[in-house]
Amino acid sequence: MTGSSRISRRIALPRDPLFRLLAVNLLAGICIAALVLGGIFAGNIGNLRVLVQGAEDPVLPVLMLAFGLVITLGSVVIGSAIMLLGQSGRSGGPPRGERPGADGAVLQPVPVRGDSDRSRRRQFPAG
């Protein structure tokens, strides 16, 4: 078989990295939702499989459950991916207090002394 006779079957992902991140993680959420849906019916959780099999139109409840799972689990996977964007490596990121600022300088906490003198409290006149 020559290279020109092969048909390339690749999924067309968006060029923008953000949309690519969202698309890949949405597909992962759909796969997880399909696994959960299969597990619900395989385990007959809440006697759901028997109820769906006994329904007049069993496709509608399955589609409604699948839609809810895709929305929920897809959102969880996408949200997790977005929240993990700023982390460098598995450990999370730089330790607290050693985060570089906008100009590249390392930020350090500054101690601030509070005024503990009660006589300086503002007195409000009784009204």
Side-chain angles (χ1 to χ4, degrees), residues 44-60:
N44 199 17
I45 296 174
N47 211 17
L48 192 61
R49 181 180 62 211
V50 174
L51 287 172
V52 169
Q53 287 175 346
E56 188 176 314
D57 183 19
V59 175
L60 183 63

Side-chain angles (χ1 to χ4, degrees), residues 90-108:
R90 289 184 165 224
S91 64
R96 187 174 188 154
E98 298 179 13
R99 295 182 178 147
D103 58 352
V106 175
L107 302 177
Q108 295 294 328

Side-chain angles (χ1 to χ4, degrees), residues 17-34:
L18 177 64
F19 291 130
R20 182 178 301 145
L21 174 81
L22 295 177
V24 167
N25 286 291
L26 178 63
L27 289 174
I30 290 171
C31 292
I32 292 171

